[in-house]
Amino acid sequence: MPQKRQYPGTRKPKISVVVPCYNEVDVVRHTHARLTGTLRRLSGFEYEQVYVDDGSADGTWEAIESLSRRDPSVRAVRFSRNFGHQAACMAGLREAAGDAVVVIDADLQDPPELIPEMVRLWLEGWSVVSARRRSRDGETLFKKASAFAFYRLLNAVSDHSLALDTGDFRLLDRELVAHLNGTSDKNLFLRGAISWFGFPETSVEYDRDPRLAGESKYTLRKMLALSRRGLLAGSITPLRLSTCVGAAALMGGLGAAALRRDPKLLLRPGAFGAQTLAIGVVGEYLHAVLRQVQGQPDYVVKEQLGTPFRPLVEKERIAS
């Protein structure tokens, strides 16, 4: 059983909430209002809100600037362009200075009102508190089915167990955040990386609400890209699968050719298909290796707002 956390004397634990945003001008003010109302009910805690603008093309950054002028707890990071949701989450984790860090999307499908329960479980000693979805209102049948299948496929082939039916809405302890910030992975799949470190993890269940406004930013292309990243980052099974499929196709082609006595018809197409599949899978892994060795940053910060809890030097030391 995890050991309870205690903060004696006048030391107040600090909670950071990271909010990735991409074209969320219609909802970001509502998000701030609900977050602020929830965080104010956490007596005995200090808090900050870290908004990460992932290259929005609407008025999201201007709305965040307005919030920061009225609320000193608001900090913000603005990317030079759209680098993706995972990069925005990592930027927020690197900026956050709390003893515990909550990551939540700006679209209000994940209720901020769960945060006090997550904080309670964190104080009981859990390093990761994931929000597990019981239902997903307002989403298409295709998205629900594909998400259900993806998590189970990823868990089946992964080298370590993953929390099912969870997204990036989680609370993470500072120690785990420091480990995540110290990783050199340029193609990090955050959900898999959190489980890989093996810290004590529990979950709270909730019913996911429809978006308050706007449309989902996770297009089919982005969903497929995230799925590919998760599969390549979490398991060597696809690479081994290509070897098995290639061997099976070759043996099947040889057997069929022997029975039908027509090697040109069956042997060559079978061998070609197996080789093509194997080369494609190996190419995916080589692309991931290329991303690692290129040395390019995960994202580029164009602008920042607000003052962190503690000096930047200390925050960088923790993340190193």
Side-chain angles (χ1 to χ4, degrees):
M1 186 69 183
Q3 186 176 358
K4 290 187 177 182
R5 294 181 173 85
Q6 296 181 351
Y7 294 86
T10 58
R11 164 83 160 92
K12 287 185 177 182
K14 302 175 178 65
I15 307 297
S16 298
V17 180
V18 172
V19 188
C21 304
Y22 179 58
N23 291 341
E24 300 288 2
V25 66
D26 295 329
V27 73
V28 68
R29 292 182 179 86
H30 300 284
T31 303
H32 172 262
R34 282 181 61 178
L35 272 175
T36 302
T38 299
L39 293 170
R40 284 176 177 171
R41 291 195 291 271
L42 288 172
S43 59
F45 291 85
E46 295 182 19
Y47 66 87
E48 66 173 357
Q49 301 176 55
V50 182
Y51 293 83
V52 182
D53 183 3
D54 184 20
S56 296
D58 59 2
T60 297
W61 181 249
E62 289 73 18
I64 294 172
E65 283 184 313
S66 176
L67 293 174
S68 70
R69 287 192 293 267
R70 294 186 286 107
D71 185 350
S73 75
V74 170
R75 299 174 54 215
V77 174
R78 184 185 189 186
F79 285 174
S80 60
R81 64 170 177 83
N82 178 238
F83 284 91
H85 185 264
Q86 296 291 283
C89 289
M90 284 306 306
L93 291 177
R94 288 166 183 155
E95 289 299 318
D99 299 294
V101 183
V102 177
V103 180
I104 184 171
D105 287 341
D107 56 21
L108 290 179
Q109 288 188 273
D110 303 322
E113 291 76 16
L114 275 183
I115 293 176
E117 175 64 12
M118 300 168 86
V119 170
R120 183 188 68 79
L121 291 169
W122 169 68
L123 289 175
E124 288 185 358
W126 297 100
S127 296
V128 182
V129 183
S130 302
R132 184 172 182 176
R133 303 154 180 162
R134 280 189 302 249
S135 63
R136 305 165 66 104
D137 292 341
E139 296 183 358
T140 64
L141 181 61
F142 170 76
K143 188 167 185 178
K144 292 177 183 179
S146 60
F148 180 88
F150 168 69
Y151 282 114
R152 281 147 185 83
L153 173 63
L154 185 60
N155 196 51
V157 303
S158 180
D159 300 332
H160 54 279
S161 61
L162 302 172
L164 296 176
D165 302 321
T166 60
D168 292 310
F169 183 24
R170 303 172 188 236
L171 179 147
L172 308 175
D173 181 64
R174 163 55 52 187
E175 184 180 5
L176 174 55
V177 171
H179 282 291
L180 288 169
N181 290 344
T183 183
S184 59
D185 192 344
K186 299 295 183 182
N187 203 32
L188 189 70
F189 178 61
L190 185 59
R191 303 169 196 180
I194 290 170
S195 298
W196 183 88
F197 282 106
F199 281 73
E201 182 172 352
T202 188
S203 63
V204 293
E205 292 190 345
Y206 73 107
D207 298 309
R208 201 171 199 219
D209 296 326
R211 286 182 60 90
L212 181 65
E215 298 179 352
S216 174
K217 307 307 183 296
Y218 258 108
T219 61
L220 179 59
R221 181 177 63 85
K222 291 184 177 181
M223 288 171 60
L224 291 174
L226 182 65
S227 301
R228 179 182 61 84
R229 175 184 291 194
L231 288 170
L232 295 181
S235 175
I236 197 173
T237 299
L239 192 57
R240 291 173 177 166
L241 180 63
S242 67
T243 303
C244 296
V245 171
L250 182 59
M251 295 302 295
L254 287 171
L259 291 174
R260 297 286 299 273
R261 298 179 181 180
D262 190 0
K264 292 183 179 180
L265 180 62
L266 298 172
L267 178 59
R268 292 178 181 177
F272 175 78
Q275 290 172 354
T276 303
L277 177 61
I279 291 171
V281 174
V282 172
E284 292 287 348
Y285 279 90
L286 288 176
H287 179 262
V289 172
L290 177 63
R291 286 290 308 277
Q292 296 290 348
V293 302
Q294 279 180 323
Q296 294 178 334
D298 302 349
Y299 52 85
V300 177
V301 174
K302 181 178 180 180
E303 192 173 351
Q304 291 181 263
L305 298 172
T307 304
F309 280 133
R310 52 172 76 97
L312 185 61
V313 173
E314 182 180 351
K315 183 177 63 180
E316 289 177 342
R317 178 181 61 79
I318 290 174
S320 64

